Structure formats: C-alpha cells, structure tokens
Amino acid sequence: MSPIVDMVEVHKSYGRVEVLKGVTFSVDKGEVAAIIGQSGSGKSTALRCMDRLETIQAGTLEVCGHRLDTPNLDLRALRRDVGIVFQSYNLYPHLTVEQNVTLALRLVRRIGRAEARERAANVLRKVGMLDKLAAYPEQLSGGQQQRVAIARGLAMEPKLMLFDEVTSALDPQLTGEVLRVMEELAAEGMTMVLVTHEMSFARRVADKVIYMRDGRVHEMGTSDILRTPQTKELGEFISEATDA
Ligand SMILES: Nc1ncnc2c1ncn2[C@@H]1O[C@H](COP(=O)(O)OP(=O)(O)OP(=O)(O)O)[C@@H](O)[C@H]1O
Ligand SMILES: [Mg+2]
C-alpha cells in the first residue's frame, strides 16, 4: 500500500530564499509523525505544502493518493481528505460552536442540516465539548477553542490530519487537554503529521520523528531518536527543549 504522505526531494522557495532544500519523508496509514526543529527550519512550510497551501518548485509530493506537483490536481478532493489545524484557532466569532463545526459540512459537503448537527455532536463529544454547543468562541478558553477547531476538522472525516503547533498559545493545563484529544485520535488510528515543541508528547505518541534543520531533514527515525539522538545537533536541540 502506498503511503498517505510521500514527499521526495521537495524544494520550496519564497522569492530567492530557499526554505525547503530537498525534503524527503513518508507517512504511512495510521502513523503519527512529529516534525520538530528550530524556528525557521521549515516545519510549517513542509506541513503547508501537504495541504497545497503552498506550491512546491521541485520534487514530488503525493498526499492521500493526490499528486500535488501536477497542474491538474483536484484541490477540492485533496481538501476533503486532509484536515489542518493551526496555532490560532480561526473560529468564526459570530457563530456558535455547533455552527462553526457544521458550516463547512453544509457548504462544502452539502450535508443536510439534521445530519450535519448529528456529526457535529459526535465530534464535539469526542473532544469533550458537547456541553458547549451553543457557546460562542469568546466564551471559551483557548484550549476549548482549539478542541472545537480540531472537532471542525474531524467532522469532515479526513484521511489525514495536520497540526501546526496547536498548543503553543496555551498554558500547560490547557495544553494537556488538547494533547489528550490528539493522543486519543492517534490511538484510534488517525494518520497525523504534527509540528510540535512538546518533546514528551512526541516521545510518547509519535511513531516517526522528523528533525528538520535549515530546510532539510537532519535526522529521522522512531521516537527512540529523542532518547538516543544520532547527531550532535539533535542532541543539542533536545537538551535545550524545556520539557525534555
Ligand atoms: N510567506 C513567506 N514569505 C517569505 N518567507 C517565508 C514565508 N513563510 C515562511 N518564510 C520563511 O521560511 C523559513 C521557514 O519558515 P517556517 O514557517 O516553515 O519555519 P518553522 O520551522 O515553522 O518555524 P517556527 O518554529 O518559528 O514556526 C523562515 O525563514 C521564514 O521566514
Ligand atoms: Mg512554524
């Protein structure tokens, strides 16, 4: 079976600045891959390429069976298969929790009102937010808002979930709530790629750890590389991490 993500020698530049300098990795179905690395090393860019929020200039990239490096990519079909959650929750402030989750289901998926509400209830239960159906985002904590954002992604029933530092804006307790939700998803077999600074979470949950440095994959392996890094650079990076 081909991998869910297959990135081969991908190059990406912004103007003259090359940010991805030949990045190669793959993620299999059901696998959890954690991308770690210093600020500016290209982690978010790599993630954004997988949802075609960025286009690549060289290399090949296949995600959920879609070739992203071809002009005839069906973007809607790709976006149906891939959910993405960012550090900022991007919820609509004028819509309730339930409406935030059902909006894309109704507009993009053309799912009827009753079924959309049922799906919303299911995913909100999963992230522990069912009792906040009628609340507006400003009435929720950051961690609660982030869990709603995750529920919104899950409602679309994606084959792959991408997370970009979804807990960075949260204090430790709220971070824990969100990480627990992600850990449950992993246990249920969701294929996930996450950019994270949470070393202990990566050590516990990730099947594959990808250490990026200056636009390249500097070291990659199972979460064992977080315990016994093979390169001096990864060793230093881990020892500088706050929760190591
Ligand atoms: N839209 C853009 N235009 C120009 N340069 C960009 C753009 N987005 C990112 N960059 C540059 O690309 C490099 C990699 O950025 P990226 O956001 O992928 O890093 P990162 O590893 O996610 O960092 P962080 O940990 O700070 O989020 C940085 O030098 C950044 O300044
Ligand atoms: Mg980033």
Side-chain angles (χ1 to χ4, degrees):
M1 203 167 50
S2 59
I4 296 285
V5 177
D6 196 11
M7 190 180 283
V8 182
E9 276 298 312
V10 162
H11 290 254
K12 164 78 192 169
S13 303
Y14 294 108
R16 288 185 168 183
V17 183
E18 194 176 28
V19 174
L20 299 182
K21 302 172 181 175
V23 172
T24 300
F25 63 81
S26 64
V27 181
D28 288 330
K29 191 169 191 302
E31 211 171 29
V32 177
I35 304 179
I36 61 172
Q38 275 89 352
S39 181
S41 57
K43 306 180 297 294
S44 295
T45 303
L47 201 74
R48 291 167 60 83
C49 286
M50 290 178 223
D51 197 25
R52 235 312 184 95
L53 294 167
E54 307 288 352
T55 53
I56 64 173
Q57 276 112 21
T60 61
L61 178 54
E62 188 173 318
V63 176
C64 300
H66 307 282
R67 279 290 295 265
L68 275 69
D69 50 302
T70 54
N72 53 0
L73 167 74
D74 182 346
L75 200 55
R76 282 175 68 95
L78 174 74
R79 297 273 162 80
R80 266 201 299 276
D81 288 342
V82 183
I84 187 162
V85 183
F86 302 98
Q87 179 179 338
S88 54
Y89 334 115
N90 302 320
L91 298 177
Y92 293 104
H94 61 292
L95 298 180
T96 64
V97 164
E98 181 180 53
Q99 289 164 339
N100 264 285
V101 175
T102 55
L103 184 71
L105 288 175
R106 305 210 49 204
L107 294 185
V108 180
R109 287 293 184 89
R110 310 250 173 239
I111 287 172
R113 187 179 161 85
E115 195 196 330
R117 294 184 71 173
E118 192 181 317
R119 272 214 214 176
N122 285 335
V123 289
L124 287 167
R125 185 180 302 112
K126 185 173 275 190
V127 301
M129 291 296 295
L130 188 56
D131 58 332
K132 299 287 187 189
L133 271 179
Y136 286 88
E138 65 174 16
Q139 300 170 313
L140 305 177
S141 73
Q144 291 173 329
Q145 291 187 51
Q146 192 57 291
R147 285 186 281 150
V148 173
I150 293 172
R152 180 175 57 181
L154 292 176
M156 306 291 275
E157 300 182 340
K159 295 178 180 150
L160 169 68
M161 283 290 286
L162 307 174
F163 298 92
D164 192 356
E165 302 207 30
V166 294
T167 60
S168 299
L170 305 175
D171 66 35
Q173 191 205 333
L174 300 182
T175 294
E177 293 173 1
V178 173
L179 293 182
R180 257 194 304 283
V181 166
M182 293 167 68
E183 200 163 347
E184 275 168 36
L185 283 181
E188 287 171 15
M190 174 66 77
T191 311
M192 320 202 302
V193 181
L194 43 108
V195 174
T196 186
H197 283 134
E198 302 284 338
M199 289 303 137
S200 53
F201 179 73
R203 199 175 286 131
R204 200 167 64 243
V205 178
D207 301 300
K208 179 176 281 177
V209 174
I210 300 162
Y211 171 56
M212 286 189 66
R213 188 180 166 84
D214 191 25
R216 293 188 175 87
V217 176
H218 192 77
E219 186 170 340
M220 175 163 56
T222 67
S223 59
D224 284 346
I225 67 171
L226 296 175
R227 296 179 192 91
T228 48
Q230 301 300 302
T231 62
K232 178 166 105 340
E233 291 77 13
L234 178 56
E236 285 168 4
F237 179 74
I238 293 166
S239 62
E240 284 160 16
T242 47
D243 72 333

